[in-house]
Amino acid sequence: MQVFCDRCGKQADFNPKEFRCACGGAWEPPEQADFNPKKIDQGNHTVWRYRELMGLEAIDNPLTLGAGWTPLVEADWDGSPVSFKLEYMAPSGSFKDRGTEVEANFLKQAGISEVVEDSSGNAGASLAAYAARTGLRAAIYAPESASPAKLAQIAVYGADLRLIPGPRSACTQAVLQAAAAGAAVYASHAYNPVYLLGQQTFAWEMWEQNGGNLPEALVIPVGQGGLLLGAWMGFTRLLQAGLIGRIPKLFAVQPEVLAPISAAFYAGEEEVAEAASKEKSLAEGLAIVKPVRGRRILQALRESGGAVLTVSEAQIRKVHGELARKGFYAEPTSAAAAAAIEQVLKITGNNARIAIALTGSGLKSPMNS
Ligand SMILES: [Zn+2]
């Protein structure tokens, strides 16, 4: 698979052992052919429904846990109809499974036997699940302070769980050292371009589930931005093929206490600078001080006509409860996105159709709100 570096433009045949370019940039997935709906495998209700459209025809008989094709449910939100994409219905309980199911099969086929990953919980649980399914050996570096339910989930799948004291960024440093020293491949949800190919399926599902008529805006909680970037790539493919007239406005949501993308967006910057975390957010999945693909995230937000919105801890807690009392049991990280609905409607107008990604299960971080 031909990839190119987002920073220096270097092209390479993707070797998973070189998880990023020598210049430090992230590998971008290759340019893809036009999206041809005839290539959708209509009988398949997993991410592999789009196998040929992801450019991964070479992966034969992929091992699946059934990631993808999550429900899209419409509910009333203070008088406005809002669609909720229930990513928490995924096999390990988060949206990460879309990318991980594809990435794990790719790594297995590339002859990789051992992987490492750093995670606040969801990516680690996802990789641990797919390591178990595909026979990869996995070590997951997670913060000591991660939700006990997520840590238990990682361990019970059989992964080697390494608890790292200190902030979330200490896990990244520990895993980078491990990847540099050992034989294991850094199967990073932030760096791996195959993971992003899998995340595109979110956009294509939205398109199919809406009968081709996409909502005006899509609201996503953003840490590393894998779902936002995957969705943007997927929508762009639909636009290029003439199947849609516009891409939904993409809104990234971050907690007020740690919002590096917001700072860069409103300062008119093209790169995201490292932010200092003032306090721990309830939205633990968003504890990223500097996203790897920050430049691309800013580009996606600006080109789609969207923005970054921030929410307070009190809003996250309140909306977590409001979601639950409508029947949606999402983790606080997902509640952050829903907490921005009011701000989005102020921008788009109350009659606009908007969709929210509920990215992770409430079972992972129980909270009584
Ligand atoms: Zn480079």
Side-chain angles (χ1 to χ4, degrees):
M1 187 178 80
Q2 283 292 309
V3 290
F4 67 96
C5 171
D6 179 33
R7 193 180 290 179
C8 74
K10 181 183 166 183
Q11 300 206 8
D13 189 23
F14 179 56
N15 172 2
K17 288 177 184 157
E18 287 159 18
F19 73 91
R20 63 181 168 189
C21 177
C23 82
W27 296 121
E28 290 278 332
E31 292 286 327
Q32 306 272 319
D34 265 2
F35 187 96
N36 179 355
K38 291 201 180 99
K39 292 192 171 172
I40 297 173
D41 181 355
Q42 294 290 347
N44 188 328
H45 290 87
T46 71
V47 289
W48 302 104
R49 177 181 183 85
Y50 307 105
R51 187 170 62 102
E52 289 189 47
L53 292 154
M54 283 188 278
L56 294 169
E57 298 92 326
I59 298 182
D60 267 335
N61 301 314
L63 290 164
T64 180
L65 287 170
W69 207 253
T70 56
L72 182 71
V73 176
E74 195 168 290
D76 175 86
W77 194 270
D78 291 337
S80 294
V82 175
S83 297
F84 294 91
K85 182 81 167 142
L86 307 188
E87 291 296 281
Y88 62 69
M89 300 287 283
S92 81
S94 88
F95 76 97
K96 297 280 197 324
D97 290 340
R98 287 181 187 280
T100 316
E101 180 155 325
V102 176
E103 182 187 351
N105 276 285
F106 180 89
L107 293 173
K108 192 71 187 169
Q109 184 159 306
I112 304 301
S113 58
E114 201 177 334
V115 291
V116 289
E117 164 77 304
D118 57 312
S119 164
S120 69
N122 281 339
S126 182
L127 184 61
Y130 283 96
R133 179 73 175 102
T134 60
L136 291 164
R137 250 198 343 269
I140 309 294
Y141 293 70
E144 265 181 354
S145 58
S147 293
K150 290 181 182 174
L151 298 177
Q153 188 186 10
I154 292 168
V156 79
Y157 281 131
D160 179 4
L161 175 62
R162 312 272 174 93
L163 292 178
I164 307 296
R168 167 69 179 80
S169 52
C171 296
T172 304
Q173 269 152 30
V175 83
L176 284 171
Q177 277 171 12
V185 160
Y186 183 21
S188 166
H189 64 286
Y191 280 102
N192 192 288
V194 181
Y195 173 85
L196 278 185
L197 292 179
Q199 291 294 347
Q200 294 179 99
T201 59
F202 179 93
W204 301 334
E205 284 179 23
M206 291 267 308
W207 176 69
E208 286 200 79
Q209 289 171 325
N210 279 290
N213 183 16
L214 285 168
E216 186 171 334
L218 173 63
V219 191
I220 299 178
V222 171
Q224 286 289 4
L227 183 57
L228 183 121
L229 289 173
W232 182 51
M233 285 165 50
F235 289 135
T236 301
R237 295 272 304 282
L238 296 173
L239 186 69
Q240 284 167 346
L243 295 165
I244 55 173
R246 54 162 181 84
I247 288 176
K249 294 183 176 75
L250 299 174
F251 288 93
V253 182
Q254 301 209 287
E256 282 174 1
V257 293
L258 180 59
I261 301 166
S262 173
F265 184 86
Y266 292 106
E269 302 288 347
E270 288 190 9
E271 298 279 354
V272 176
E274 184 167 326
S277 181
K278 288 169 242 169
E279 62 181 90
K280 191 172 181 292
S281 174
L282 290 167
E284 63 179 353
L286 309 183
I288 302 294
V289 291
K290 185 181 191 308
V292 164
R293 299 179 190 271
R295 199 176 66 79
R296 294 296 254 180
I297 294 170
L298 291 169
Q299 189 188 353
L301 298 173
R302 287 176 178 141
E303 287 187 10
S304 71
V308 194
L309 304 169
T310 58
V311 292
S312 71
E313 297 303 296
Q315 286 172 315
I316 294 171
R317 182 176 286 280
K318 177 168 163 274
V319 170
H320 176 266
E322 287 173 3
L323 279 171
R325 286 184 282 282
K326 290 182 190 298
F328 300 112
Y329 195 39
E331 67 170 323
T333 301
S334 314
I341 292 176
E342 219 177 289
Q343 294 184 64
V344 174
L345 289 172
K346 267 190 197 147
I347 296 168
T348 60
N350 278 334
N351 295 325
R353 286 169 57 229
I354 68 169
I356 311 282
L358 293 182
T359 46
S361 168
L363 295 170
K364 284 166 169 270
S365 316
M367 177 170 83
N368 188 355
S369 49

